[in-house]
Amino acid sequence: MRGFVVSELKHHSQIPLSTDVPEPKAGPGQVLVDVYSAGLNFFDTLQTQGKYQHKPPLPFVLGTEFAGRISKDSPIPKGCPYKPGDRVFGASQGTYADKVAADVERILPLPDTMSYDQGAGLFITWPTSYEALVGRAELKPGEWVLVTAAAGGVGIAAVQLAKVLGAKVIAAAGSNAKIDIAKRYGGADYGVNYSNPGWQKEVLKLTGGKGVDVIYDPVGLINDSLKCIAWKGRALIIGFAAGTIEKVPMNLVLLKNVSLVGLHWGAYSTELLLIKVSPSLFASGKAVPVTYNQIFSLEKLSDGLAAIERRETWGKAIARVRDESNAKL
């Protein structure tokens, strides 16, 4: 089968797609899934170089998020609610391939209303934003939220969730085009371009001089954003997509009486979070997974990861492994 195999740690652009990869074998409590779409993540670019916190032993197949169907030759563990042909989405190491072995507890049924492309970006992106805003920041209706990289995968999910929770949302991005994406697809109330000097003044003006109650930052802009945080505000540290881990002047934290709140999504039961957030939210149409308008083939996977590195993408970038029209067993 095809697979993006990392045999030695190097940049993804130096790793070719393999066409003779052995098919995975399902272990205890696992099923085999035919991958139709796989979600691209920034951490994939780090994992190929050994710079990500999760370091699978070499060689390994890259990729974590997927949507597909239970394979016709998959074993079905005792108590497993799925059967061959069922549409599912989930997470497992090795999704940039034709087939992946996945723990039953790490997959969920793909709603009939969703495409494989939409489902491929659900398992990590949405629970991350949900737990950050609900579990960690304890966001309340009427509060102000600033979302950096608001047009990105987790960013646009955070914008939608914050709106559903009754917040007033300011989308921050590095271009006016991405601000427009966050407004059009995410429903953000306002937008600020953080490539403009002094952008924090615009945030303060929008909030009547108060500042934002919650900062949601997957980029590494905490220091800049603290200039427009409210008294007793909460700054959510989601990631460091800009490539630099910040050193925050702790005197600012003290003087502004604010909280720095971390989120390590891997420490949570993603399945339980999704059960909380997804059925009513997606069924109601209040939130819709947003996918980037260029879909990458498995052969062009490195192009997609490079586009993420260059911050060209918005929404969730997707690699289409199989065409949905061939979805019959």
Side-chain angles (χ1 to χ4, degrees):
M1 71 172 190
R2 297 173 301 162
F4 200 82
V5 181
V6 181
S7 299
E8 58 180 304
L9 300 177
K10 59 178 69 173
H11 191 263
H12 61 81
S13 61
Q14 299 176 286
I15 302 174
L17 179 69
S18 299
T19 57
D20 57 353
V21 183
E23 290 196 358
K25 298 184 183 299
Q30 289 189 322
V31 291
L32 296 176
V33 179
D34 295 330
V35 180
Y36 279 80
S37 300
L40 277 63
N41 289 289
F42 176 75
F43 63 73
D44 294 325
T45 69
L46 303 177
Q47 195 174 55
T48 67
Q49 302 172 77
K51 296 179 180 180
Y52 187 54
Q53 57 205 28
H54 176 51
K55 298 177 173 64
L58 295 170
F60 65 88
V61 178
L62 192 65
T64 303
E65 288 182 287
F66 69 90
R69 300 182 73 154
I70 304 296
S71 303
K72 62 182 180 182
D73 58 348
S74 174
I76 304 298
K78 184 178 180 180
C80 172
Y82 308 108
K83 64 183 183 301
D86 283 352
R87 286 164 32 101
V88 295
F89 71 95
S92 185
Q93 184 67 52
T95 61
Y96 297 151
D98 289 311
K99 186 176 289 190
V100 67
D103 294 337
V104 172
E105 63 184 23
R106 299 271 287 169
I107 61 175
L108 287 169
L110 180 65
D112 292 337
T113 55
M114 282 190 191
S115 67
Y116 290 109
D117 290 347
Q118 290 176 313
L122 287 180
F123 204 84
I124 293 175
T125 304
W126 285 85
T128 297
S129 297
Y130 178 85
E131 177 58 19
L133 294 171
V134 176
R136 301 296 283 143
E138 299 181 354
L139 181 65
K140 301 173 181 62
E143 288 191 312
W144 285 93
V145 179
L146 174 72
V147 180
T148 66
V154 293
I156 207 161
V159 170
Q160 291 190 60
L161 284 169
K163 287 299 299 176
V164 170
L165 294 166
K168 292 170 283 190
V169 181
I170 302 173
S175 70
N176 292 334
K178 288 195 172 183
I179 290 170
D180 181 63
I181 292 290
K183 288 181 176 180
R184 192 187 334 154
Y185 295 108
D189 299 291
Y190 306 97
V192 295
N193 188 332
Y194 50 57
S195 65
N196 296 332
W199 60 270
Q200 299 92 337
K201 294 178 181 178
E202 190 173 348
V203 173
L204 291 171
K205 182 178 179 181
L206 288 169
T207 58
K210 173 192 172 188
V212 293
D213 301 289
V214 174
I215 295 166
Y216 180 100
D217 178 42
V219 180
L221 289 173
I222 292 294
N223 282 330
D224 287 346
S225 299
L226 286 179
K227 296 177 183 178
C228 56
I229 195 171
W231 179 257
K232 291 187 178 180
R234 293 92 75 198
L236 291 162
I237 302 163
I238 307 301
F240 315 99
T244 301
I245 297 176
E246 293 182 281
K247 294 181 180 179
V248 180
M250 298 308 291
N251 62 315
L252 292 180
V253 178
L254 184 152
L255 292 172
K256 293 208 166 193
N257 204 40
V258 299
S259 301
L260 300 182
V261 186
L263 175 71
H264 175 35
W265 74 267
Y268 292 85
S269 169
T270 311
E271 179 185 11
L272 291 178
L273 290 177
L274 273 165
I275 289 172
K276 287 181 184 178
V277 69
S278 64
S280 59
L281 189 66
F282 295 127
S284 68
K286 292 180 180 178
V288 179
V290 178
T291 57
Y292 185 48
N293 61 357
Q294 180 180 356
I295 303 296
F296 300 93
S297 66
L298 200 55
E299 287 76 13
K300 296 292 185 180
L301 175 66
S302 188
D303 291 349
L305 294 176
I308 290 177
E309 288 177 313
R310 295 191 299 267
R311 301 191 199 178
E312 293 175 357
T313 64
W314 46 264
K316 189 70 177 183
I318 298 296
R320 188 173 294 160
V321 181
R322 280 180 178 81
D323 189 74
E324 193 159 350
S325 62
N326 299 323
K328 292 184 179 181
L329 279 176

